[in-house]
Amino acid sequence: MKPTVSILPSLLAGDFGRLEDSALKAEAAGGDALHLDIMDGHFVPNLSMGPDVVRMARRSVRIPLSVHLMVTRPDVLADAFIEAGAATLLIHAEAQGDIGGTLRRIRGKGVRPGLALNPETPAAALDPYWGAFDEVLCMTVHPGFGGQSFIPEVLPKISEIFSMSQAGRATVDIGVDGGLDLDTVRQAAGAGANIIIAGSFLFKAADMGRTVANLRAAAEEALGAADDN
Ligand code: DX5
Ligand code: ZN
């Protein structure tokens, strides 16, 4: 079965003086879900938003919230984001604490668990956790900041995870996060990514709705080609 493409605007690129308006804008533009970046100043050298912002988004938009925890201790922080309204919770394989147990706890609370990999982390880091996650998030920039350039060296890893998923290891969605635009989305979806997270490209666009549609069309075409291989 062909995986479907989802386009997720990243609120990190929104207007921090008007975050609710930014969330509503992402929804009105046709975003399938809203991506929220949580940073603890330790796992990454930046701070961003906490559970209250997730709660605000949950009240404001109807689309699901995909929460990306760039934190050292997701085992300690996961529950607060589940309670705040996350539909998907992505934790990093490089984080500390019990990763497998945290993925299982997330699923046990009715939330979709995902595992994120930094650009240099190999696909083998997923090995102990197959079956415990529904999505792999391949970072295509070093996490911590929006507006960075896509790292093409991540593409072979995306193909590798796509092959593992197609081979029936477990069917997972493959997300890509960082530096996505019309050019890089073709590369990422061509390697098998079907969840496209984009911050600056979407929020800086003159017409966000049209840009979401263009990104989706480019991803669907490239993913179709990947799927036929
Ligand atoms: C980076 C974040 C990304 C970021 C992507 O640490 O995880 O979600 O918002 O932003 P762009 O699309 O601007 O690279
Ligand atoms: Zn992110």
Side-chain angles (χ1 to χ4, degrees), residues 35 37 68 70 177:
H35 182 86
D37 287 306
H68 177 194
M70 284 163 276
D177 188 11

Side-chain angles (χ1 to χ4, degrees), residues 10-26:
S10 175
L11 193 60
L12 190 66
D15 178 348
F16 269 57
R18 296 164 173 268
L19 273 186
E20 182 173 28
D21 289 347
S22 296
L24 289 166
K25 183 177 171 187

Side-chain angles (χ1 to χ4, degrees), residues 149-205:
S149 299
F150 182 85
I151 302 174
E153 286 77 11
V154 179
L155 291 167
K157 178 170 68 183
I158 298 170
S159 302
E160 196 183 337
I161 296 167
F162 184 65
S163 303
M164 289 169 163
S165 176
Q166 296 286 93
R169 182 112 194 219
T171 307
V172 294
D173 289 306
I174 302 177
V176 278
D177 188 11
L180 272 304
D181 60 22
L182 275 180
D183 173 36
T184 55
V185 80
R186 287 196 180 92
Q187 300 173 42
N194 67 307
I195 297 186
I196 311 300
I197 294 139
S200 357
F201 183 63
L202 290 180
F203 277 97
K204 282 189 182 153

